[in-house]
Amino acid sequence: METKGILTVVSGFSGAGKGTLMHALLQRYPERYALSISATTRKPRDGEADGREYFFKTRDEFEKMIAKGELIEYARYVENYYGTPRAYVEEMLESGRDVILEIEIQGAMKVKEAFPDTLLLFVTPPTAGELERRLTRRGTETAEVIASRLCRAAEEAQGMDRYDYLIVNDDLETCVEEMHSIIQGEHSRSFRNTEFIQKIKEDLQGLKGE
Ligand code: 5GP
């Protein structure tokens, strides 16, 4: 069966709990998944480290990465650039790991265009009110940033139906297992196993002829 990894994009409203979910998934199945680390021009938040949450870049450095073709995709989000470095993703997919990109919707659509086999997952809180509560509770952003993120969420909601699966983030444990089952189930899709199908067909033809 399919040995190459599956490229999975996870999007969701800022504050939907994607980050926590991704880390729980990776902690539980470290051999199975690789999480791509993005480059960004946004300033690190308290507790974030360069090379762990993001590769923090100046605008100039970021624009050089674009020019050299080092990013699979990039997008502007609330006044900053965010982009996915190509090398790590390709290396991990080749080695058979399922690679997760936690990126926003414009980037997700660009990845899907460049790699049509990409699996698109959208993480959402159970209600809009819950999203607002989670954003406010995080306490790391100013009222202005929260307002612009809610505004952006309303825009992003317009694209939710372009994703393959929705994941309602209510209970973390349930969510981790749900995401794992979806991605692993994806390995069995017939379109991802064309070589396997071809081989069985040929072998059966051979047996029939014996
Ligand atoms: P934050 O500033 O909260 O860490 O991220 C803001 C948004 O940027 C989130 O929706 C996140 O998923 C998205 N994002 C992070 N990395 C990338 C990336 O490499 N490409 C794109 N297109 N979006 C990203």
Side-chain angles (χ1 to χ4, degrees):
M1 293 284 265
E2 164 112 1
T3 49
K4 245 189 109 195
I6 292 178
L7 185 57
T8 302
V9 165
V10 179
S11 301
F13 311 122
S14 173
K18 279 170 304 185
T20 317
L21 185 56
M22 296 300 90
H23 285 107
L25 182 73
L26 260 96
Q27 214 163 22
R28 186 159 312 168
Y29 304 102
E31 307 299 321
R32 188 64 254 146
Y33 298 106
L35 185 64
S36 159
I37 301 173
S38 297
T40 183
T41 58
R42 120 159 133 58
K43 298 275 168 287
R45 296 191 185 118
D46 279 352
E48 286 183 337
D50 188 37
R52 195 178 63 200
E53 280 77 17
Y54 284 104
F55 295 106
F56 294 100
K57 303 283 176 194
T58 63
R59 205 185 172 86
D60 195 43
E61 287 169 337
F62 197 99
E63 282 168 355
K64 286 207 174 96
M65 291 178 84
I66 300 175
K68 287 195 204 148
E70 288 173 9
L71 300 174
I72 290 181
E73 61 72 41
Y74 67 93
R76 275 182 77 100
Y77 178 93
V78 194
E79 298 307 303
N80 284 299
Y81 277 131
Y82 293 82
T84 308
R86 182 183 301 280
Y88 179 79
V89 170
E90 292 185 345
E91 187 189 317
M92 288 295 120
L93 286 176
E94 279 304 320
S95 78
R97 298 262 204 119
D98 294 329
V99 176
I100 300 187
L101 310 183
E102 192 212 311
I103 64 179
E104 53 64 68
I105 189 163
Q106 298 168 48
M109 296 306 139
K110 285 188 217 156
V111 171
K112 181 76 183 176
E113 219 168 276
F115 305 94
D117 291 353
T118 304
L119 174 66
L120 299 178
L121 309 182
F122 195 97
V123 180
T124 172
T127 63
E130 178 60 22
L131 179 63
E132 189 185 21
R133 269 189 295 281
R134 287 185 197 176
L135 274 175
T136 314
R137 219 185 310 141
R138 183 150 78 182
T140 52
E141 323 286 3
T142 61
E144 202 188 338
V145 170
I146 292 171
S148 73
R149 284 179 183 231
L150 279 174
C151 199
R152 176 71 190 220
E155 267 171 51
E156 292 203 319
Q158 300 300 319
M160 281 169 82
D161 44 14
R162 291 154 84 180
Y163 284 74
D164 297 311
Y165 293 87
L166 297 183
I167 296 175
V168 177
N169 188 5
D170 206 349
D171 173 66
L172 181 67
E173 284 299 300
T174 317
C175 242
V176 168
E177 283 315 310
E178 196 180 325
M179 191 171 278
H180 179 63
S181 322
I182 290 172
I183 302 172
Q184 296 319 306
E186 198 60 27
H187 280 276
S188 310
R189 298 283 297 271
S190 52
F191 81 90
R192 295 191 192 276
N193 292 282
T194 49
E195 278 176 29
F196 177 88
I197 293 173
Q198 191 57 33
K199 179 158 192 323
I200 286 229
K201 280 184 182 168
E202 283 168 15
D203 289 353
L204 282 171
Q205 281 300 332
L207 287 178
K208 201 174 74 175
E210 268 175 17

